[in-house]
Amino acid sequence: RCEGKHKARALFTATLPLREQGRLGLHAYLSHALLELDANREPAVAARVLEAALQAHPEALAEVRVVSTLARALWMLGRGGDVRALFERALERAPGPPRTTRLDMLDELMRFENDHLLAGPERLDELRRRRRELVKGRPGGATAGVAGAAAREEP
């Protein structure tokens, strides 16, 4: 990175054969995306890198760090609606048994919506309720859609 963003991009470009073979690890994508986002202030490039990571590593959608980094890039690009859809998709795909993954993802969604003023009081209440259900281990917890969850009655 000390030689500038063009050298860093050239290094990532040099990994193309590894990417084509599916041999480039998720952390290489995430590292490059963070470099583009935080050091180079290039959210469009960071988003493209992370979208490529999700293509190559679908399991990355369960990684809170990947999802939150992509969410920041999308937010910086003015794609707030895509941020919510991204988190909801990630919550659906998060592994079930270690509830901490879903819980962490839901906490990150709540933090993001609160910090960026995406959510009104009703939405935050809905997210809190979904979190309580997940902690209690009730079926449908973090993966229940907002519309479907609103139709259920609170005990």
Side-chain angles (χ1 to χ4, degrees), residues 1 5-16 19 32:
R1 171 63 186 125
K5 70 180 176 182
H6 298 293
K7 289 281 189 176
R9 286 183 182 160
L11 179 63
F12 189 70
T13 300
T15 67
L16 183 60
R19 285 183 274 154
H32 186 69

Side-chain angles (χ1 to χ4, degrees), residues 12 25-37 49-50:
F12 189 70
L26 178 59
H27 289 90
Y29 288 97
L30 182 59
S31 296
H32 186 69
L34 286 167
L35 177 73
E36 290 293 349
L37 191 61
V49 168
L50 289 172

Side-chain angles (χ1 to χ4, degrees), residues 26-96:
L26 178 59
H27 289 90
Y29 288 97
L30 182 59
S31 296
H32 186 69
L34 286 167
L35 177 73
E36 290 293 349
L37 191 61
D38 295 331
N40 298 341
R41 303 283 184 233
E42 297 278 358
V45 176
R48 282 195 309 271
V49 168
L50 289 172
E51 287 165 0
L54 291 174
Q55 288 282 325
H57 301 280
E59 72 279 3
L61 200 53
E63 295 286 335
V64 176
R65 183 98 191 256
V66 172
V67 173
S68 65
T69 302
L70 181 52
R72 278 195 313 136
L74 293 173
W75 176 255
M76 290 171 76
L77 292 170
R79 294 171 52 190
D82 292 341
V83 170
R84 185 175 285 165
L86 170 69
F87 274 109
E88 291 294 343
R89 200 171 85 218
L91 282 166
E92 288 174 9
R93 293 234 183 117

Side-chain angles (χ1 to χ4, degrees), residues 103 106-107 127-135:
L103 202 53
L106 191 56
D107 287 345
L127 291 173
R128 286 185 195 106
R129 187 187 62 69
R130 286 170 68 183
R131 188 182 193 290
R132 280 192 308 271
E133 287 179 2
L134 185 61
V135 169

Side-chain angles (χ1 to χ4, degrees), residues 100-134:
T100 57
T101 303
R102 280 196 179 132
L103 202 53
D104 291 344
M105 194 71 72
L106 191 56
D107 287 345
E108 188 64 24
L109 171 60
M110 289 172 63
R111 186 175 17 262
F112 198 92
E113 291 210 11
N114 190 47
D115 290 352
H116 296 289
L117 304 174
L118 292 174
E122 298 85 18
R123 171 72 175 165
L124 287 175
D125 286 346
E126 172 62 27
L127 291 173
R128 286 185 195 106
R129 187 187 62 69
R130 286 170 68 183
R131 188 182 193 290
R132 280 192 308 271
E133 287 179 2
L134 185 61

